[in-house]
Amino acid sequence: MRVILADDAVLFREGTARILIEAGFRVTGQAGNAAELLDLVRRDPPAVAVIDIRMPPGHATEGIDAAAEIRRIHPDVGLLLLSQHVDTHHAMRLMTEFERGVGYLLKDRVSDLAGFAGDVRRVANGDCVIDPELVARLVGRKRERDPLTALTERERSVLALMAQGRSNSALSTELHLSAKTIEAHVRSIFTKLDLPPGVGDHRRVLAVLAFLRSS
């Protein structure tokens, strides 16, 4: 699987490249800024672009803006954005602007070699990947009017994993529950949060996150 890396921190970029190569990926290009990244993608589109959200010259939204351009010119390229810190605004922009093959992770997750490699593959396959710390903040934060009070502890656990993009099958495996039990929990969550059932995995993730963000 072919990957392009974009990060102005050379040591981090090189370390990430070594991790991916050891995991069986082929790193076809490395960029230090958004312009270089776009040039590499235009010349040889990868399966996934792993992009630092903040890059030169402004270290603001260059990475996510480049991701939007990549999605416009090569919609099949997966986009995995990395951030030094949890930024709810950028994460929500990423998850609401792109329909599939997108992820948001903290850079610390790169040190989990197997987990990071799995996340890159999930994004390449069109899945949605969201950092667990972001999910924990969204699900666990205090609200004046908390929509999650109606959920049981088990339903909160299911919701947190749903928001990370887990399928029902993955939920069943991770929580050691039967498929029918997971389906029942998911239906209950949608009912209690007044979210429409019967939508696809990515759309249900967006619905959950949008609900949590607006509450």
Side-chain angles (χ1 to χ4, degrees):
M1 185 178 292
R2 300 160 65 256
V3 178
I4 286 177
L5 302 177
D7 196 303
D8 63 306
V10 178
L11 291 179
F12 177 82
R13 193 175 71 226
E14 291 288 349
T16 303
R18 285 196 297 272
I19 287 171
L20 290 172
I21 290 170
E22 289 176 6
F25 294 92
R26 180 184 170 198
V27 177
T28 59
Q30 298 186 38
N33 57 55
E36 291 177 2
L37 167 63
L38 291 173
D39 182 59
L40 288 172
V41 172
R42 287 190 182 100
R43 287 192 282 114
D44 190 14
V48 178
V50 179
I51 308 167
D52 184 9
I53 281 184
R54 301 179 185 274
M55 290 194 295
H59 290 90
T61 62
E62 287 83 1
I64 198 167
D65 292 340
E69 177 63 11
I70 291 170
R71 183 51 53 93
R72 186 187 69 82
I73 60 177
H74 289 292
D76 292 332
V77 173
L79 303 168
L80 180 54
L81 277 288
L82 302 181
S83 178
Q84 194 69 45
H85 309 286
V86 171
D87 188 320
T88 305
H89 173 73
H90 284 153
M92 291 307 305
R93 176 188 167 189
L94 188 70
M95 294 301 157
T96 53
E97 286 189 10
F98 306 127
E99 294 183 355
R100 59 182 297 276
V102 63
Y104 173 96
L105 293 176
L106 291 178
K107 288 187 174 182
D108 289 347
R109 304 296 172 193
V110 175
S111 62
D112 177 1
L113 278 62
F116 180 62
D119 288 335
V120 174
R121 291 190 176 94
R122 287 174 59 198
V123 170
N125 290 332
D127 293 337
C128 170
V129 173
I130 306 173
D131 194 278
E133 185 170 333
L134 172 64
V135 174
R137 289 195 183 189
L138 289 171
V139 173
R141 70 183 181 183
K142 299 295 183 181
R143 301 172 178 84
E144 183 176 343
R145 299 175 63 186
D146 190 350
L148 304 184
T149 54
L151 302 185
T152 65
E153 286 301 313
R154 175 61 77 185
E155 287 168 348
R156 284 172 177 259
S157 298
V158 171
L159 174 63
L161 292 172
M162 283 172 57
Q164 292 176 41
R166 297 292 197 274
S167 65
N168 280 9
S169 175
L171 289 172
S172 179
T173 299
E174 191 151 347
L175 296 175
H176 306 290
L177 297 172
S178 70
K180 287 186 177 180
T181 300
I182 290 296
E183 290 172 3
H185 283 315
V186 171
R187 284 196 302 270
S188 178
I189 290 168
F190 276 118
T191 298
K192 290 179 179 179
L193 299 185
D194 196 27
L195 296 171
V199 295
D201 285 345
H202 185 65
R203 288 183 180 274
R204 78 178 187 174
V205 170
L206 294 182
V208 169
L209 288 178
F211 183 87
L212 294 173
R213 183 191 182 205
S214 63
S215 301

